[in-house]
């Protein structure tokens, strides 16, 4: 991209919010709303590791933005905007950049965020795209991983396992599904839906004691909450919420339940709340139209230990505890 | 780095400020000081492009952090902290990571900044490191590129040309210098000194109408100010401030004056101020111990056009107008 300042300006300047100053400056200027904290998070994606090598550029962009928004959602933060860095290989031509920018534009409209600034460089290796996302939460009210209390109930939004099975579909490793189920799972992997509205309401409700997004896998991310809170966790396998498509996978291969609970890329929110808050949690689910399942509890025990309880009441052994690709 | 969460935690968690929550969460929580704007900037560096392939990891880290702090300095912002993303090739082992973290620790102490968070991923290509830096400036007072007024004087801090000549030294392309001069120039390239204290005072003084850091080259960065301000600029070549080492280079090769004025990586601050503010600018230089040279002016004319005036009063032709490696 040497010498292609104009190319970048043409495609990215229209994405800049007022804070981005038309990308004419090397910096963004953000007036933080009174009584709020700034919430900052960053995620990097590498071609061939975090997205398929032949993924279309608009999906690469949208997935990267959405995974960052998922981090903010799990903090109860309202997203404002983001900084973008791109290390582009020679084959990323203007059509690729135009597609990438179009993906960002589409999701900026969906999630009401703007580009604050960025940097574009050249690499001889695989494409590396990184976003630092900026959100706001009421002062001192960010949801953390570390606030769970002994006896709190453990919840998760939506359904889990779809992301991992969707990657299998995209890579041709999962046969025998109906076309509709295969398409659903693949879409859940390629274009996750960060739970922004739910996260915001959860943060404002004040009932959540800890939260995390399900990026490494339900068991691993519940473990992050447990570890940061100095507690152990127990998850009931039969309470794990599954989509119809994931249920179809498990009907044919019941042993893959462990994969559903431990594969990553679901971008749901796993959180804890006191048992007496069940009514509030149900009301949040109803308000947002997003199912929330009570899947277990956290309790005094070895910090970070997660037991998965099978149908017989005995702990299950899980082969792998979440993606390690980071 | 698959599965090496603990490795990352061991080396990077000690760098986290209170905003970084011990890196136990996926996000940082920052309470912005009242009456201030948040200033955000990001820069990415690629191995073999922005730093030498065999550069030591502590210098890679410090240079990346410093170039980001230079962006904040040119905005008149006080740096608070940063988010870091690293795409690491297989050969970046624990010793490399330890060295990188040690470099960050050293410069965190120098510049009073902290790690807010980050993401570490694996790549099969060259190492890509990216920082998003966060600073604060009094509300509405960030220095921009776009505020220069017709007739303003143009200034630059320190000396220019050292970064470009230093890269030549590092790559063995510049012979015949004394060892002291060669070491000085190489150090200016490998470990630039962002003008943080000067930038802060310049911002607070209220005299600067526009500012930028000299990363792309004096002529190019003066051009950025001119373009964003809708003005032309004129720089007097003989007013360009040179180090003794750069002067020694030019004594042997006078034609390289154009390189001194157009090569990048100096990380000085170029800025404009009304002619009547010369006394204030001189006082800022005296307070900070950093020389400031008046090198020309901005004036009505084609937006972004920069004329370099030679000793004979005639415009010089410059072969290249600043680095394009981004």
């Amino acid at each position: 991209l040497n010498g292609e300042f104009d190319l970048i300006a043409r495609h990215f300047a229209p994405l800049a919010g007022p804070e981005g100053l038309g990308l004419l400056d090397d910096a963004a200027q953000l007036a933080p709303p009174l009584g709020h904290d700034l919430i900052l998070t960053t995620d990097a994606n590498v071609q061939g590791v975090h997205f398929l090598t032949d993924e279309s550029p608009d999906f690469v962009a949208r997935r990267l933005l959405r995974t960052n928004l998922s981090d903010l959602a799990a903090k109860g933060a309202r997203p404002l905007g983001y900084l973008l860095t791109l290390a582009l290989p020679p084959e990323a031509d203007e059509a690729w950049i135009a597609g990438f920018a179009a993906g960002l534009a589409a999701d900026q409209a969906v999630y009401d965020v703007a580009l604050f600034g960025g940097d574009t460089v050249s690499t001889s290796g695989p494409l590396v795209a990184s976003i630092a996302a900026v959100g706001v939460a009421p002062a001192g009210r960010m949801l953390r991983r570390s606030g769970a209390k002994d006896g709190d109930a453990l919840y998760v939004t939506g359904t889990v396992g779809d992301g991992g099975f969707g990657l299998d579909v995209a890579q041709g490793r999962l046969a025998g599904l109906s076309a509709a189920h295969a398409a659903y799972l693949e879409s859940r992997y390629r274009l996750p839906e960060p739970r922004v509205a739910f996260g915001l309401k959860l943060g404002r409700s004040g009932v959540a004691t800890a939260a995390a997004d399900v990026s490494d896998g339900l068991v691993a991310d519940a473990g992050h909450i447990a570890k940061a809170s100095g507690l152990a966790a127990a998850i009931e396998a039969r309470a794990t919420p599954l989509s119809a498509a994931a249920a179809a996978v498990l009907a044919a291969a019941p042993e893959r339940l462990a994969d559903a609970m431990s594969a990553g890329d679901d971008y749901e929110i796993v959180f804890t709340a006191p048992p007496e808050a069940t009514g509030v949690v149900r009301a949040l689910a109803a308000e947002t139209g997003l199912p929330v399942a009570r899947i277990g509890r956290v309790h005094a025990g070895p910090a970070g230990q997660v037991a998965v309880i099978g149908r017989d009441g005995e702990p299950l052994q899980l082969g792998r505890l979440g993606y390690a690709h980071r």
Side-chain angles (χ1 to χ4, degrees), chain A:
Chain A
L1 264 284
N2 282 352
E4 301 193 6
F5 290 103
D6 290 345
L7 182 63
I8 302 297
R10 193 156 63 239
H11 293 289
F12 290 107
L15 303 179
E19 303 84 356
L21 307 169
L23 305 189
L24 279 171
D25 262 280
D26 265 352
Q29 183 180 25
L30 176 66
L34 272 180
H36 286 70
D37 291 333
L38 265 287
I39 312 300
L40 307 168
T41 185
T42 188
D43 266 316
N45 281 353
V46 178
Q47 185 177 29
V49 181
H50 302 87
F51 56 90
L52 305 175
T53 299
D54 60 353
E55 181 58 286
S56 71
D58 58 327
F59 274 53
V60 173
R62 297 172 77 184
R63 189 167 196 278
L64 174 63
L65 181 55
R66 287 172 178 223
T67 57
N68 274 278
L69 296 182
S70 177
D71 278 329
L72 291 181
K75 305 299 168 209
R78 182 165 61 87
L80 299 181
Y82 62 100
L83 302 167
L84 170 71
T85 65
L86 280 176
L88 295 173
E91 62 268 25
D93 56 9
E94 177 159 8
W96 196 95
I97 291 167
F100 190 89
L104 292 176
D107 272 358
Q108 288 190 187
V110 172
Y111 297 104
D112 193 20
V113 294
L115 180 63
F116 286 171
D119 192 20
T120 307
V121 296
S122 299
T123 179
S124 58
L127 190 145
V128 182
S130 163
I131 275 182
V134 182
V136 286
R141 297 283 292 277
M142 183 184 93
L143 298 178
R144 301 189 185 192
R145 290 175 171 173
S146 58
K149 301 284 181 291
D150 182 13
D152 279 352
L154 189 65
Y155 297 89
V156 71
T157 61
T159 57
V160 299
D162 299 332
F165 293 143
L167 176 59
D168 288 343
V169 170
Q171 296 186 320
R173 291 197 309 257
L174 190 53
L177 284 174
S178 73
H181 283 165
Y184 174 82
L185 292 173
E186 184 171 349
S187 160
R188 285 272 285 163
Y189 173 76
R190 293 177 63 204
L191 204 60
E193 293 189 22
R195 303 308 190 184
V196 175
F198 183 87
L200 256 180
K201 284 181 185 284
L202 183 66
R204 287 178 186 160
S205 75
V207 299
T209 50
D213 73 329
V214 183
S215 52
D216 296 333
L218 175 62
V219 172
D221 289 306
H224 292 151
I225 288 176
K227 185 172 183 184
S229 302
L231 298 170
I235 301 177
E236 294 189 48
R238 64 182 164 191
T240 304
L242 298 171
S243 67
V249 173
L250 296 186
E255 75 283 1
R256 298 210 64 188
L257 176 60
D259 292 337
M261 299 183 67
S262 58
D265 294 318
D266 286 319
Y267 300 103
E268 300 292 349
I269 298 178
V270 57
F271 64 98
T272 54
E276 60 269 25
T278 298
V280 177
V281 171
R282 281 189 189 141
L284 293 174
E287 277 176 54
T288 55
L290 180 67
V292 177
R294 183 166 168 173
I295 56 169
R297 56 193 284 270
V298 292
H299 58 86
Q305 187 185 76
V306 181
V308 177
I309 314 298
R311 292 180 180 277
D312 56 2
E314 294 298 311
L316 290 180
Q317 299 300 321
L318 292 191
R320 51 170 197 168
L321 294 175
Y323 276 12
H325 68 192
R326 56 180 224 168

